Amino acid sequence: MMMSVLTRKTLRGHRMRSNREFRFVFTRGRSQANKYYVLYVVPKQRSEISKIGLSVSKKVGNAVIRNRVKRILREILRERISLFSEGYDVVIIARKDAAGLSFRESEVAVDILLKRLKLI
């Protein structure tokens, strides 16, 4: 499995920002979950780029912990976005137990969900 090297700028073009985009994925998307994360996916037009949204609530922990979880998720997805088929919107919600995971444990948990939804 060969992964291309992406810069942070490349991932910025793939970030979901508006509430409307998040709500669309929640209402129309399929979901898979495990103990640590919930992943929602909705297919789009093939010509459109895939977008990713992250949601980490205050239940996960204080600001330091929430930002650490978001940084880990961004890095995991930065490495994998080139493997996605074009035209998917993805939202990942971190559950409370995600706060205690290492990078490798998070990577395994996210990969399982991505494979279940046939994104990679």
Side-chain angles (χ1 to χ4, degrees), residues 7-8 26 33 35-36 41 50 54 58 63 65 67 70-71 78 80 87 89-90 94 96 107:
T7 64
R8 289 181 189 257
F26 290 140
K35 184 178 178 183
Y36 308 108
V41 175
S50 297
L54 302 176
K58 288 185 177 181
I65 293 170
N67 286 329
K70 285 187 276 189
R71 281 193 311 271
R78 184 186 67 81
R80 285 156 184 75
D89 279 349
V90 179
K96 194 174 186 175
E107 198 172 31

Side-chain angles (χ1 to χ4, degrees), residues 33-81:
N34 58 24
K35 184 178 178 183
Y36 308 108
Y37 300 105
V38 180
L39 197 133
Y40 286 88
V41 175
V42 65
K44 299 184 342 179
Q45 297 289 331
R46 287 273 180 218
S47 60
E48 295 183 49
I49 64 168
S50 297
K51 288 198 168 192
I52 295 171
L54 302 176
S55 177
V56 183
S57 77
K58 288 185 177 181
K59 292 179 183 178
V60 174
N62 64 23
V64 174
I65 293 170
R66 291 194 310 270
N67 286 329
R68 180 179 180 276
V69 170
K70 285 187 276 189
R71 281 193 311 271
I72 288 171
L73 286 173
R74 270 191 227 111
E75 181 60 22
I76 290 168
L77 294 170
R78 184 186 67 81
E79 294 173 352
R80 285 156 184 75
I81 194 144

